Amino acid sequence: MRILLFAASILAFLALAPSSRGQDVAWQRTYDSAKQAFAEHRYADADKAYQAALAQAEDFETGDPRLSAILFGLGIDYYVERRYEEAEPFLLRVVELREARPTPDSDLVKALLQLAELYRATRHLTKAESLYRKALTVSKDLPSADSATTATIYLDLGLLYTEQDLMHDAETAYVQAISNFKNAEGTARTGLGFSNLNLAQIYEAENKFSEAEPLYQQAIATFEQTSGANSSNVATALEDYARLLKKMDRKAEALKAKKRADEIRRKSGS
């Protein structure tokens, strides 16, 4: 899921208007081919095209946003291939370039988040938390701040804290994520389902069954709306809800929820 989420944001971050100058038209063609290769999961081809675009950009000014776009593309390409050591310097350079601009923007937020994801993947969790927090601060200060971005950062923080078994911090982050996701629209609301699900799991583990149950129910309803009634997300939420119902000695309801989850799994082959 993370890769798909970031792949969607990458294309928005890297969308640049082509120039009328011959050199820039040639660069744009190379750059577009890199984006296309990445979108088609041809990562080796994307790497070559990004490197070619970088070579063509040797005369770009340091502040040229196209330079950031190329470096970010290379960083993402290596990240997706789990070549983390190669990805890190490119993403660090993007953050440096975006921070040097007169005013912070959403592209800086995306760069901070992707670098945080890299550190989370490589278990540099203190670095990851610092970057998530920084992205949160920048995001809130943007004139065009949107609740979906803020919510996603809180969800990522919640996941980071859950991985470290810092459940109080995770709970606080998920509550904030839910609050912000409720104001989001479209596919971003899938994050609301995951936030509800993750918070429900925390409450279940703490034997707060009455608090966990409505969150599982909300997660199921949200996934049905955003992913489809027969999606794997719905099946996962139903399985978790069935486990809770069994603990609450509501065996008939637990069996019904588990049966529906099994049927979804059977139809989807998952």
Side-chain angles (χ1 to χ4, degrees):
M1 176 185 175
R2 293 300 302 168
I3 291 174
L4 291 177
L5 276 175
F6 274 96
S9 65
I10 292 162
L11 298 181
F13 176 56
L14 299 179
L16 301 173
S19 170
S20 60
R21 292 187 299 174
Q23 180 185 9
D24 290 348
V25 169
W27 174 86
Q28 188 72 54
R29 189 179 299 115
T30 304
Y31 176 69
D32 287 344
S33 70
K35 289 197 298 179
Q36 182 65 32
F38 182 88
E40 295 174 355
H41 310 296
R42 294 184 287 108
Y43 301 124
D45 292 337
D47 180 10
K48 292 178 183 178
Y50 278 128
Q51 292 286 1
L54 185 60
Q56 292 173 337
E58 288 180 352
D59 295 330
F60 289 174
E61 295 181 1
T62 301
D64 193 317
R66 292 174 297 179
L67 182 58
S68 296
I70 301 167
L71 295 169
F72 191 76
L74 278 165
I76 288 291
D77 189 61
Y78 291 142
Y79 170 83
V80 170
E81 294 186 88
R82 300 185 181 183
R83 297 162 62 181
Y84 299 131
E85 289 187 5
E86 294 170 84
E88 182 182 11
F90 289 111
L91 294 174
L92 282 169
R93 180 63 174 148
V94 175
V95 170
E96 179 184 342
L97 291 171
R98 302 311 298 188
E99 287 183 325
R101 294 175 67 82
T103 55
D105 57 21
S106 60
D107 290 342
L108 172 58
V109 174
K110 291 178 183 131
L112 288 168
L113 287 177
Q114 188 56 58
L115 186 57
E117 284 291 304
L118 184 148
Y119 286 139
R120 184 174 152 206
T122 55
R123 311 309 295 166
H124 292 89
L125 302 184
T126 301
K127 288 183 178 181
E129 180 184 5
S130 177
L131 288 167
Y132 284 133
R133 290 290 179 188
K134 190 170 188 177
L136 195 58
T137 299
V138 174
S139 176
K140 288 181 177 179
D141 289 340
L142 293 179
S144 58
D146 68 274
S147 57
T149 299
T150 302
T152 300
I153 300 171
Y154 275 121
L155 174 55
D156 285 340
L157 272 170
L159 293 169
L160 181 72
Y161 291 139
T162 299
E163 290 172 1
Q164 299 176 80
D165 206 26
L166 300 172
M167 293 310 176
H168 176 73
D169 292 332
E171 177 184 346
T172 301
Y174 290 138
V175 168
Q176 289 291 337
I178 290 169
S179 175
N180 282 275
F181 272 127
K182 285 181 177 178
N183 297 320
E185 297 179 356
T187 56
R189 287 181 64 83
T190 300
L192 175 60
F194 282 106
S195 300
N196 282 320
L197 187 64
N198 294 339
L199 184 56
Q201 290 169 346
I202 290 176
Y203 288 152
E204 180 188 345
E206 295 173 346
N207 293 323
K208 298 178 180 178
F209 297 158
S210 62
E211 294 176 61
E213 181 175 10
L215 289 168
Y216 279 131
Q217 293 171 338
Q218 291 164 28
I220 293 166
T222 300
F223 287 142
E224 286 175 336
Q225 294 170 1
T226 60
S227 306
N230 294 314
S231 69
S232 60
N233 287 340
V234 172
T236 297
L238 282 166
E239 288 163 350
D240 286 353
Y241 185 38
R243 183 186 61 238
L244 175 72
L245 290 169
K246 188 175 181 180
K247 289 180 180 179
M248 298 172 74
D249 202 29
R250 290 159 59 182
K251 296 179 181 178
E253 293 172 82
L255 184 61
K256 182 179 179 181
K258 184 62 166 62
K259 184 177 180 180
R260 184 184 166 197
D262 290 344
E263 183 65 15
I264 292 172
R265 298 289 191 197
R266 186 185 65 78
K267 288 181 178 179
S268 65
S270 61

